[in-house]
């Protein structure tokens, strides 16, 4: 199990942006695909307090429920580049 978990929705361009950065930095990560319906996104809501995606957790760095793709990409660059 990887330290980073990405909560995403297939076809989401913001999720793809985060996935691309993770792949570019060669970071191992797990993916959890969230349901299309916001009302059914209980797991991502539990982790981040909201139902939007992408969201990451990073157990190695103590990050729980970071959202907003630009913030995630910046965090990954600062932490893992």
């Amino acid at each position: 199990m990887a330290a980073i978990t990405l909560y995403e929705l297939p076809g989401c361009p913001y999720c793809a942006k985060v996935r691309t950065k993770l792949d570019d930095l060669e970071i191992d990560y797990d993916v959890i695909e969230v349901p299309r319906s916001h009302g059914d996104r209980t797991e991502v809501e539990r982790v981040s307090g909201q139902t939007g995606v992408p969201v990451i957790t990073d157990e190695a760095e103590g990050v729980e429920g970071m959202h907003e793709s630009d913030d995630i990409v910046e965090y990954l660059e600062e932490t893992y580049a």
Side-chain angles (χ1 to χ4, degrees):
M1 182 170 184
I4 293 181
T5 300
L6 170 63
Y7 294 82
E8 72 164 12
L9 181 67
C12 165
Y14 304 106
C15 300
K17 178 179 181 177
V18 171
R19 224 180 222 263
T20 297
K21 180 53 67 177
L22 287 162
D23 293 340
D24 287 349
L25 294 172
E26 298 179 353
I27 299 170
D28 289 331
Y29 61 98
D30 295 320
V31 174
I32 296 177
E33 291 185 5
V34 301
R36 194 155 286 287
S37 169
H38 282 264
D40 294 334
R41 295 181 186 179
T42 54
E43 185 173 359
V44 75
E45 186 174 20
R46 179 186 54 77
V47 169
S48 67
Q50 51 89 49
T51 59
V53 288
V55 167
I56 66 162
T57 61
D58 184 351
E59 291 181 21
E61 298 293 325
V63 173
E64 295 182 20
M66 179 180 287
H67 55 92
E68 299 296 331
S69 60
D70 289 337
D71 293 343
I72 295 170
V73 167
E74 182 179 336
Y75 164 77
L76 293 171
E77 288 174 347
E78 290 176 356
T79 307
Y80 292 99

